[in-house]
Amino acid sequence: MPNTPDLHLVAQDSEFRKFHDLMARKVQNILLVSTAYDAWVMEEDCKLSERIVSEYQGLNLSRPPRLTWASSAEEALAFLAQRQFELIILMPQLAEREALTLGQRIKELSLGIPVYLLTHREVFLPGEAPPEGIDRQFVWTGNADLLVALVKNAEDAMNVDFDTESVGIRVIIVVEDSPRYQSCLLPILYRELVVQTQDVIREGLNQEHRLLTMRCRPKILLADNYEDALALFLKFEPYVLGVISDVRFPRGGKLDASAGVDLLGAIKAQRFDIPLLLMSNEPDNARRALDIPASFVDKNSPCLLADVRGFVLERLGFGDFIFRGPQGEEISRAGSLYALEERLKTIPAEALVHHSRHNDFSRWFFARTEFELANHLRPLSETDFASPELLRTGVIEMIRDRRQQRQKGIVANFNAKDFDPTTDFFKIGKGSMGGKARGLAFLFSILNRIPALAVKYPGVDFSMPRTLGISTEGFDSFIKINELEYLPSADFADAEVLKIVEKARFPKWLSHQLKAYLSQVHHPLAVRSSSLLEDAQYQAYAGLYSTIMVPNNHPDPNVRLAELILAIKQVYASTFYQAPKAFSRRVSQRTDEEKMGVLVQQVIGDDYGGYFYPAISGVSQSYNYYPFGRMKPEDGVATIAFGFGKIVVDGGQTLRFSPRYPNILPQCPTVELALRTAQTEFYSLPLEHWPWARTDFSLSRRNITEAEEKGSLALVASTFLPEEGRIRDTASIPDRPRVLLFAPVLKHKILPLAEILEDVMGITEAAMGCPVEIEFACNLYRDKQRRPVFSLLQLRPMSARADLNRVTITEHDRERAFCLSSHALGNAEKCDVRDIVFVRPDAFEVEKTVQIAGEIGRINAALVAQGRKYLLVGPGRWGTADRWLGIPVAWNDICGVSAIVETASAQLRVEPSQGSHFFHNITTLGINYIMMSGKEGERFDWEWLEGHDVVTRDEHVVHVRLSAPMVIKVDGRSSHCAITPGDEMARCQEGNTAPQGTGCCTPGCEGAGSPGQCAL
């Protein structure tokens, strides 16, 4: 389907991608120069290498640096000549000055590598500058945290310029001239910053984004004199998150007992909102800190670690946001953007104004790397709003917009303790979420990159159903704790499998997560399968597993949890049903390798008098296998229905149209056919609840007349006027039959559905690189206040058409064919079928279609056991769930079929159901679907068929076997098909390769070889 010119995928990455360029320069190799004894102590006693690796893994940091030891200056210089290092650490004995000389020699090489001196105690007095060749001195106490801190501090210095300018990374300035206190403070600060960053930023998002945003933690810049500290502040002033300063340090080359107080005072005068911490080993300086004002920490206090940690958490914004009253008393707290938004709705106005005046909100956002939100809010104050309530509304709207923006296209890890129920897509557990979830997650990602879609249709709200994905870890855990590993190989009936699985225990960890989820979600839920193989391009497994809908409206949360768990169990049970097992055998897939993920989606629809359903549901395909009139296959096709889409995917009575030509309805050329083929029943979800947990989640199938009074039928229906013999495009005429032709939508465009489908299919087809199928649902409203809603539910690739082999149907083929059709699906030349199973035209009764399906299933089982493929022939819509439209065979009833012929019948005149799961599976497997449409030139020779040897004859179904394989030719270019007898057929050209899944094309091979190979 051609893409719409003004709609295309925006070539932009997720907002998180900008973080990839942060912390670009890393310390990957450290040269440690020490005595043999110190090296031995570090390696054998301290296990320094292991501790560094352990520290990095514990902090979820990647690529811990590699340590290289040198025991002498000459060895160190030799290493420097051989390889590259980013940091050099010297550890001298106190009696030796060799390290200082080595530092000078290294600097003379102009390598630009920082050189740190690591001693067992202070070698130089505070205020005394390190000698030439040494950048900084630290005091080693055997704590590996210090080495990690030195590495991170060196990396901060390397990256601070780029990271602040490109993204706005925050900076913390530490002013301390004592090597001992530097060595104490840095490990504390880095430990708290990294751990708090890991714990709080991007709450609820996935691990990939957590690791990316770890790079956004604030930089720590170290200064040991007044001039350097002030220069750092002036250079990075827009990015300074906080300043921690000693009281006494050099100013003008001399120790100054007031340097720290004056520095913080100057900073406060320029930036009132920067948190300041004054540290001193003299408790009397606490009074001087109050005058600034700044927080104060006693450096000699045994609570130094806790005091510094408290400053980082509360004042720098890394902990919960704490709402405080006028006297500093705590009112409430919030640990996430969502929680903050909720608390802002109720906190007193004076507390709101207080925090706004002090830029507490923006500082908290900066700590969470919400730079755009923080920068937007920071210059605003209560004076920018007419009242505190407007300030409250403005801040809430900013946070809500940001939350919605950042989660678009993201699959977030579910956190039971603190999660945002408005998140689009959550994931529980490790491992894969399955094929259906992959398609849905990709759909989320695509729609996030199409801003022009909402611009082009301003009168429509575009949405995706909020989704909770349960990974295959939940399935594995369920199977393991109940020892159900035998089910894949057991030959149980579906009902027996269901009984076993429903009685099994459910994993407690998963139950706990689901209970937390339901505490915030009270919308009806669809529990959908998402197996590993589902919606794959060549083996779709479409519709073979269960989808269960639960009302989720019981007043008792334990009952709602029990209902959800039962629904998940029923989806798990469907993994081991007969139909998917038969499909797995057809595609040579081991059934014990299949695993089931589960999607819990909030259902699109509304409550209409105790029944929940959408106004429109449907399936749209970007390739139309049965175009009509001037339609082209590339124009696509859509099948829609009123209510839930179950009637569509089950092959029920629906409406089909091409989005390119929405006013052309092939199934409704006359009023009579429109009345005969239009939808008369629809599916809805009953919302009534019982005192106990329900066990039956069946949808209610109701007549469309039941939706007229309280439903949205009037927005999609037309009216038949018997006295005039015509259909009017309105439902406002009382006491007349309603006809579901969706004229208000397709003709009068109260929702421009056809145009939207055309655009969306063009976009998704371009993104996936192949024809696609999408499922969607729409809400329509009678009131003018609410806009119509278009919601995408699922995306899957359509089967690749086997158009590599050129199939030619000759005039000789047409003359000899017993089956000739101009409406055939696929592209293949098959010569491996001798068996034909057909429904006797003289014995067909539409009332007996269920019985006929059973007869076909028994013959199919016998043929599958013999490894024989067959041609299936019969009337009506194959695979439909509506027994009055065709023969309702399930996949396991026909799993051995090679091609299907849909013949004409006076009792059944229906359109092929392209949007059904049955149709999708047969196209995926390369099973040719041949339709006898009644067009001139088409024929099926029943007399020829009756003249062959009968293997089985049931009441309605006959199985015959030919003496030689027939030739089935389907030309995918023209959609024509010719099936010729095998008694005079010519052999397939030697070397031909049959399409995947069709077996060998050489007569007599019987398909014994691998698909596409010859066994002869």
Side-chain angles (χ1 to χ4, degrees):
M1 171 168 290
N3 205 353
T4 307
D6 58 342
L7 285 174
H8 59 276
L9 281 176
V10 178
Q12 64 182 25
D13 288 330
S14 161
E15 59 158 320
F16 298 99
R17 299 305 178 192
K18 62 188 177 184
F19 298 154
H20 275 291
D21 295 330
L22 300 179
M23 294 296 290
R25 301 177 62 186
K26 297 285 188 180
V27 173
Q28 297 179 346
N29 292 283
I30 303 172
L31 178 61
L32 177 63
V33 186
S34 68
T35 64
Y37 175 75
D38 281 330
W40 182 87
V41 168
M42 284 192 174
E43 179 62 22
E44 299 299 329
D45 188 26
C46 297
K47 299 292 183 183
L48 190 55
S49 296
E50 295 178 13
R51 294 181 67 176
I52 290 177
V53 173
S54 176
E55 289 294 320
Y56 267 68
Q57 291 176 342
L59 298 177
N60 277 331
L61 300 174
S62 60
R63 292 194 304 179
R66 174 185 176 187
L67 279 173
T68 300
W69 277 277
S71 58
S72 67
E74 298 307 320
E75 188 178 4
L77 292 172
F79 277 129
L80 286 172
Q82 296 170 4
R83 69 180 73 162
Q84 182 177 350
F85 294 91
E86 291 78 33
L87 179 61
I88 300 172
I89 299 176
L90 310 180
M91 289 190 66
Q93 288 186 348
L94 294 181
E96 296 181 356
R97 307 291 294 179
E98 181 184 7
L100 305 182
T101 304
L102 175 59
Q104 294 175 351
R105 296 175 66 183
I106 292 173
K107 291 297 182 181
E108 291 171 358
L109 297 175
S110 300
L111 300 175
I113 306 174
V115 179
Y116 291 170
L117 186 67
L118 192 61
T119 61
H120 292 278
R121 67 177 184 177
E122 287 185 342
V123 176
F124 315 110
L125 296 176
E128 181 182 342
E132 185 179 354
I134 302 297
D135 293 295
R136 294 203 180 278
Q137 180 199 354
F138 297 95
V139 177
W140 170 249
T141 59
N143 183 5
D145 285 355
L146 175 60
L147 197 55
V148 175
L150 299 190
V151 171
K152 304 314 295 177
N153 191 244
E155 291 179 343
D156 284 354
M158 296 175 185
N159 295 285
V160 64
D161 290 334
F162 176 83
D163 290 1
T164 52
E165 293 179 8
S166 64
V167 177
I169 296 299
R170 300 293 101 178
V171 168
I172 298 174
I173 299 174
V174 177
V175 190
E176 175 61 68
D177 64 325
S178 167
R180 183 166 66 90
Y181 280 111
Q182 288 179 354
S183 305
C184 175
L185 277 175
L186 284 182
I188 293 173
L189 290 173
Y190 276 110
R191 166 64 64 173
E192 288 306 317
L193 288 184
V194 174
V195 172
Q196 291 303 322
T197 300
Q198 180 191 42
D199 286 345
V200 303
I201 65 174
R202 299 295 178 192
E203 62 278 352
L205 298 184
N206 59 36
Q207 185 65 10
E208 175 191 1
H209 299 135
R210 284 181 178 270
L211 294 179
L212 281 176
T213 51
M214 287 290 290
R215 302 180 184 184
C216 297
R217 63 160 181 79
K219 313 288 187 194
I220 297 178
L221 302 182
L222 195 58
D224 53 16
N225 61 72
Y226 185 91
E227 290 76 18
D228 288 351
L230 187 60
L232 286 176
F233 172 74
L234 294 176
K235 180 178 181 180
F236 297 105
E237 183 267 334
Y239 314 109
V240 174
L241 184 65
V243 180
I244 300 174
S245 176
D246 189 16
V247 174
R248 187 193 306 268
F249 50 81
R251 177 162 53 173
K254 297 180 181 180
L255 276 178
D256 187 334
S258 299
V261 175
D262 293 344
L263 175 68
L264 296 188
I267 293 173
K268 177 65 73 172
Q270 187 165 339
R271 282 281 307 279
F272 74 94
D273 60 335
I274 295 181
L276 306 174
L277 176 64
L278 187 67
M279 299 190 304
S280 174
N281 51 17
E282 300 174 11
D284 292 343
N285 282 320
R287 176 183 52 79
R288 303 175 73 185
L290 287 175
D291 295 336
I292 296 174
S295 302
F296 179 79
V297 167
D298 185 349
K299 294 167 72 172
N300 294 323
S301 169
C303 302
L304 177 63
L305 172 61
D307 292 340
V308 173
R309 183 174 186 270
F311 176 78
V312 170
L313 292 181
E314 185 169 345
R315 300 290 290 124
L316 298 187
F318 281 87
D320 292 345
F321 188 97
I322 302 176
F323 292 98
R324 296 191 182 278
Q327 306 303 319
E329 73 279 10
E330 180 177 332
I331 299 175
S332 64
R333 60 176 60 205
S336 66
L337 284 181
Y338 175 73
L340 182 67
E341 180 184 324
E342 292 299 305
R343 304 294 185 275
L344 282 170
K345 297 175 182 177
T346 58
I347 66 164
E350 57 269 21
L352 174 66
V353 172
H354 169 79
H355 289 298
S356 177
R357 286 175 179 171
H358 290 82
N359 283 338
D360 293 336
F361 294 123
S362 61
R363 186 182 312 110
W364 196 72
F365 296 146
F366 276 129
R368 278 154 176 72
T369 70
E370 294 291 352
F371 302 123
E372 292 181 10
L373 180 58
N375 285 323
H376 189 191
L377 190 59
R378 184 174 181 177
L380 300 178
S381 66
E382 77 274 12
T383 60
D384 295 298
F385 299 88
S387 69
E389 291 308 312
L390 290 178
L391 168 64
R392 186 195 308 273
T393 301
V395 176
I396 288 175
E397 288 179 354
M398 290 181 198
I399 296 174
R400 181 183 300 116
D401 291 344
R402 175 57 190 149
R403 284 195 303 101
Q404 293 174 352
Q405 175 192 358
R406 71 172 194 162
Q407 69 189 20
K408 289 183 182 297
I410 301 298
V411 179
N413 288 335
F414 181 77
N415 182 356
K417 296 181 180 179
D418 185 12
F419 72 96
D420 179 356
T422 64
T423 298
D424 289 334
F425 206 131
F426 278 123
K427 176 185 177 182
I428 292 179
K430 300 176 183 178
S432 173
M433 293 188 297
K436 190 178 293 182
R438 286 193 297 269
L440 191 63
F442 182 61
L443 197 54
F444 270 101
S445 175
I446 290 175
L447 290 184
N448 187 42
R449 297 159 58 193
I450 315 175
L453 195 63
V455 174
K456 183 175 180 180
Y457 304 101
V460 179
D461 286 334
F462 291 89
S463 71
M464 297 279 289
R466 292 196 177 110
T467 301
L468 174 70
I470 303 173
S471 75
T472 54
E473 182 186 14
F475 178 78
D476 289 339
S477 179
F478 179 78
I479 295 299
K480 184 176 181 180
I481 64 175
N482 293 286
E483 299 180 347
L484 299 177
E485 292 86 354
Y486 65 91
L487 283 179
S489 57
D491 188 21
F492 294 145
D494 293 352
E496 190 173 354
V497 171
L498 181 60
K499 186 181 299 184
I500 293 171
V501 172
E502 285 184 344
K503 290 181 179 179
R505 292 176 295 144
F506 200 71
K508 290 184 178 179
W509 66 269
L510 184 51
S511 176
H512 172 74
Q513 301 273 61
L514 295 174
K515 185 175 183 179
Y517 179 74
L518 291 180
S519 68
Q520 300 292 328
V521 177
H522 298 83
H523 202 76
L525 301 173
V527 184
R528 311 179 70 188
S529 63
S530 181
S531 78
L532 289 179
L533 299 176
E534 201 163 1
D535 289 353
Q537 188 162 357
Y538 296 104
Q539 42 196 33
Y541 286 77
L544 299 184
Y545 302 116
S546 297
T547 292
I548 312 296
M549 291 192 181
V550 294
N552 190 37
N553 65 339
H554 199 284
D556 186 344
N558 293 320
V559 171
R560 292 195 294 122
L561 177 62
E563 291 179 349
L564 178 58
I565 289 176
L566 180 59
I568 294 172
K569 286 182 176 180
Q570 291 178 1
V571 173
Y572 282 166
S574 67
T575 313
F576 312 109
Y577 285 173
Q578 290 297 321
K581 284 183 177 181
F583 194 94
S584 294
R585 288 191 293 268
R586 178 64 182 257
V587 297
S588 302
Q589 180 70 37
R590 290 172 55 92
T591 56
D592 58 347
E593 292 178 351
E594 179 69 303
K595 295 183 179 182
M596 182 62 70
V598 173
L599 294 179
V600 180
Q601 290 183 313
Q602 297 186 34
V603 180
I604 302 299
D606 266 314
D607 180 0
Y608 298 103
Y611 290 91
F612 195 92
Y613 56 90
I616 301 173
S617 294
V619 173
S620 186
Q621 297 171 318
S622 62
Y623 190 88
N624 183 1
Y625 289 110
Y626 298 105
F628 176 84
R630 65 176 182 269
M631 302 175 189
K632 298 178 181 178
E634 295 76 15
D635 292 334
V637 63
T639 307
I640 59 175
F642 180 71
F644 281 120
K646 176 177 171 60
I647 197 168
V648 175
V649 297
D650 283 353
Q653 208 156 317
T654 54
L655 185 76
R656 190 165 67 100
F657 66 95
S658 169
R660 179 63 60 86
Y661 305 102
N663 294 325
I664 300 177
L665 304 179
Q667 70 199 66
C668 306
T670 65
V671 171
E672 180 184 359
L673 281 175
L675 296 175
R676 180 178 175 183
T677 61
Q679 180 184 357
T680 57
E681 295 180 315
F682 73 103
Y683 283 103
S684 60
L685 175 64
L687 295 179
E688 72 270 15
H689 54 75
W690 293 273
W692 56 88
R694 68 173 68 192
T695 57
D696 180 10
F697 301 111
S698 300
L699 294 176
S700 175
R701 186 162 183 164
R702 306 158 64 209
N703 191 280
I704 62 169
T705 57
E706 299 181 54
E708 185 156 6
E709 183 178 350
K710 295 184 178 180
S712 54
L713 183 69
L715 299 174
V716 295
S718 300
T719 302
F720 173 57
L721 303 179
E723 63 274 16
E724 299 179 11
R726 67 189 182 109
I727 297 173
R728 295 275 300 275
D729 296 341
T730 178
S732 61
I733 305 173
D735 303 323
R736 293 293 188 275
R738 305 302 180 210
V739 187
L740 273 174
L741 300 181
F742 298 90
V745 172
L746 299 181
K747 284 187 181 181
H748 306 293
K749 300 182 180 180
I750 63 170
L751 168 68
L753 179 62
E755 292 86 346
I756 291 173
L757 290 176
E758 191 174 8
D759 286 338
V760 171
M761 286 194 296
I763 292 164
T764 52
E765 184 178 70
M768 297 203 77
C770 67
V772 296
E773 178 176 287
I774 61 173
E775 295 182 18
F776 59 91
C778 307
N779 280 343
L780 300 174
Y781 305 102
R782 295 186 179 185
D783 61 81
K784 303 299 183 181
Q785 283 72 37
R786 291 182 291 176
R787 297 187 296 186
V789 176
F790 177 86
S791 183
L792 284 167
L793 308 180
Q794 192 172 341
L795 169 69
R796 65 166 68 93
M798 292 180 68
S799 62
R801 300 184 304 282
D803 50 9
L804 297 180
N805 295 327
R806 191 179 186 92
V807 177
T808 301
I809 299 176
T810 67
E811 192 60 36
H812 184 59
D813 293 330
R814 296 178 184 279
E815 293 173 357
R816 297 174 49 251
F818 68 86
C819 176
L820 196 61
S821 170
S822 58
H823 282 74
L825 169 63
N827 188 87
E829 183 171 351
K830 301 178 180 179
C831 314
D832 61 341
V833 179
R834 291 175 53 193
D835 294 89
I836 302 177
V837 177
F838 64 93
V839 180
R840 293 167 50 199
D842 60 320
F844 176 72
E845 300 174 82
V846 71
E847 298 84 2
K848 300 293 183 65
T849 54
V850 174
Q851 180 181 339
I852 294 171
E855 294 178 18
I856 293 172
R858 288 190 292 273
I859 296 174
N860 172 81
L863 287 169
V864 169
Q866 299 170 36
R868 306 182 71 93
K869 297 178 182 178
Y870 61 94
L871 176 70
L872 178 62
V873 183
R877 182 177 292 171
W878 286 98
T880 178
D882 188 339
R883 57 180 298 182
W884 305 105
L885 297 181
I887 301 173
V889 288
W891 171 251
N892 48 307
D893 294 324
I894 61 160
C895 57
V897 73
S898 179
I900 299 175
V901 177
E902 179 182 312
T903 58
S905 169
Q907 301 179 55
L908 295 174
R909 297 288 294 178
V910 295
E911 290 287 314
S913 182
Q914 296 196 52
S916 68
H917 286 147
F918 179 87
F919 190 88
H920 190 85
N921 282 326
I922 64 173
T923 58
T924 298
L925 292 175
I927 297 171
N928 299 107
Y929 195 91
I930 301 140
M931 182 181 175
M932 308 307 297
S933 63
K935 290 182 63 175
E936 185 178 354
E938 294 187 344
R939 68 173 178 270
F940 191 92
D941 192 340
W942 288 103
E943 293 183 5
W944 176 88
L945 189 60
E946 293 281 2
H948 289 83
D949 294 337
V950 175
V951 179
T952 304
R953 179 183 293 272
D954 286 337
E955 183 179 351
H956 303 91
V957 182
V958 178
H959 168 205
V960 299
R961 181 165 295 159
L962 310 183
S963 58
M966 69 190 85
V967 175
I968 303 173
K969 287 186 177 183
V970 179
D971 182 357
R973 297 164 297 166
S974 63
S975 298
H976 285 195
C977 169
I979 307 179
T980 55
D983 52 345
E984 299 179 48
M985 74 172 192
R987 294 175 61 92
C988 295
Q989 292 183 0
E990 188 174 354
N992 275 2
T993 301
Q996 181 176 5
T998 63
C1000 178
C1001 66
T1002 302
C1005 176
E1006 301 287 293
S1010 302
Q1013 304 295 324
C1014 179
L1016 295 181

